[in-house]
mmCIF file of all heavy atoms in Angstrom:
data_model
loop_
_atom_site.group_PDB
_atom_site.id
_atom_site.type_symbol
_atom_site.label_atom_id
_atom_site.label_comp_id
_atom_site.label_asym_id
_atom_site.label_seq_id
_atom_site.Cartn_x
_atom_site.Cartn_y
_atom_site.Cartn_z
ATOM 1 N N LEU A 592 -4.423 3.378 7.272
ATOM 2 C CA LEU A 592 -5.531 2.778 8.006
ATOM 3 C C LEU A 592 -5.922 1.501 7.276
ATOM 4 O O LEU A 592 -6.327 1.544 6.111
ATOM 5 C CB LEU A 592 -6.729 3.735 8.065
ATOM 6 C CG LEU A 592 -8.010 3.163 8.679
ATOM 7 C CD1 LEU A 592 -7.801 2.892 10.170
ATOM 8 C CD2 LEU A 592 -9.172 4.103 8.445
ATOM 9 N N ALA A 593 -5.773 0.364 7.939
ATOM 10 C CA ALA A 593 -6.119 -0.930 7.340
ATOM 11 C C ALA A 593 -7.586 -1.249 7.603
ATOM 12 O O ALA A 593 -8.075 -1.082 8.714
ATOM 13 C CB ALA A 593 -5.233 -2.024 7.927
ATOM 14 N N VAL A 594 -8.264 -1.697 6.544
ATOM 15 C CA VAL A 594 -9.655 -2.149 6.660
ATOM 16 C C VAL A 594 -9.804 -3.421 5.829
ATOM 17 O O VAL A 594 -9.041 -3.653 4.890
ATOM 18 C CB VAL A 594 -10.667 -1.077 6.189
ATOM 19 C CG1 VAL A 594 -10.620 0.149 7.084
ATOM 20 C CG2 VAL A 594 -10.441 -0.680 4.743
ATOM 21 N N LYS A 595 -10.774 -4.227 6.207
ATOM 22 C CA LYS A 595 -11.071 -5.423 5.421
ATOM 23 C C LYS A 595 -12.491 -5.280 4.917
ATOM 24 O O LYS A 595 -13.421 -5.059 5.697
ATOM 25 C CB LYS A 595 -10.914 -6.690 6.256
ATOM 26 C CG LYS A 595 -10.994 -7.944 5.417
ATOM 27 C CD LYS A 595 -10.578 -9.163 6.197
ATOM 28 C CE LYS A 595 -10.598 -10.365 5.275
ATOM 29 N NZ LYS A 595 -10.241 -11.593 5.977
ATOM 30 N N VAL A 596 -12.655 -5.382 3.603
ATOM 31 C CA VAL A 596 -13.944 -5.181 2.972
ATOM 32 C C VAL A 596 -14.212 -6.348 2.030
ATOM 33 O O VAL A 596 -13.490 -6.521 1.037
ATOM 34 C CB VAL A 596 -13.967 -3.862 2.157
ATOM 35 C CG1 VAL A 596 -15.344 -3.604 1.605
ATOM 36 C CG2 VAL A 596 -13.485 -2.700 2.990
ATOM 37 N N GLU A 597 -15.211 -7.145 2.360
ATOM 38 C CA GLU A 597 -15.577 -8.286 1.514
ATOM 39 C C GLU A 597 -14.357 -9.102 1.077
ATOM 40 O O GLU A 597 -14.102 -9.285 -0.106
ATOM 41 C CB GLU A 597 -16.390 -7.820 0.313
ATOM 42 C CG GLU A 597 -17.731 -7.253 0.705
ATOM 43 C CD GLU A 597 -18.637 -6.989 -0.468
ATOM 44 O OE1 GLU A 597 -18.324 -7.378 -1.606
ATOM 45 O OE2 GLU A 597 -19.685 -6.374 -0.245
ATOM 46 N N ASN A 598 -13.586 -9.537 2.044
ATOM 47 C CA ASN A 598 -12.381 -10.355 1.825
ATOM 48 C C ASN A 598 -11.255 -9.627 1.099
ATOM 49 O O ASN A 598 -10.292 -10.253 0.675
ATOM 50 C CB ASN A 598 -12.719 -11.667 1.100
ATOM 51 C CG ASN A 598 -13.575 -12.551 1.971
ATOM 52 O OD1 ASN A 598 -13.372 -12.623 3.178
ATOM 53 N ND2 ASN A 598 -14.541 -13.209 1.363
ATOM 54 N N GLN A 599 -11.360 -8.321 0.929
ATOM 55 C CA GLN A 599 -10.284 -7.517 0.348
ATOM 56 C C GLN A 599 -9.573 -6.787 1.482
ATOM 57 O O GLN A 599 -10.226 -6.121 2.301
ATOM 58 C CB GLN A 599 -10.843 -6.460 -0.622
ATOM 59 C CG GLN A 599 -11.325 -6.988 -1.915
ATOM 60 C CD GLN A 599 -10.186 -7.049 -2.936
ATOM 61 O OE1 GLN A 599 -9.066 -6.625 -2.707
ATOM 62 N NE2 GLN A 599 -10.501 -7.606 -4.087
ATOM 63 N N LYS A 600 -8.247 -6.908 1.523
ATOM 64 C CA LYS A 600 -7.452 -6.149 2.497
ATOM 65 C C LYS A 600 -7.077 -4.833 1.826
ATOM 66 O O LYS A 600 -6.391 -4.810 0.808
ATOM 67 C CB LYS A 600 -6.217 -6.933 2.897
ATOM 68 C CG LYS A 600 -6.563 -8.187 3.684
ATOM 69 C CD LYS A 600 -5.336 -8.982 4.016
ATOM 70 C CE LYS A 600 -5.730 -10.240 4.770
ATOM 71 N NZ LYS A 600 -4.575 -11.073 5.065
ATOM 72 N N VAL A 601 -7.546 -3.746 2.413
ATOM 73 C CA VAL A 601 -7.385 -2.414 1.829
ATOM 74 C C VAL A 601 -6.747 -1.506 2.862
ATOM 75 O O VAL A 601 -6.937 -1.687 4.067
ATOM 76 C CB VAL A 601 -8.774 -1.848 1.417
ATOM 77 C CG1 VAL A 601 -8.664 -0.438 0.879
ATOM 78 C CG2 VAL A 601 -9.457 -2.768 0.405
ATOM 79 N N MET A 602 -5.977 -0.533 2.400
ATOM 80 C CA MET A 602 -5.502 0.498 3.312
ATOM 81 C C MET A 602 -5.812 1.854 2.710
ATOM 82 O O MET A 602 -5.778 2.050 1.493
ATOM 83 C CB MET A 602 -4.023 0.340 3.657
ATOM 84 C CG MET A 602 -3.078 0.381 2.556
ATOM 85 S SD MET A 602 -1.427 0.014 3.215
ATOM 86 C CE MET A 602 -0.488 0.227 1.716
#
Side-chain angles (χ1 to χ4, degrees):
L592 174 67
V594 295
K595 189 169 184 182
V596 185
E597 294 189 8
N598 294 322
Q599 287 272 355
K600 293 177 181 178
V601 177
M602 59 185 183

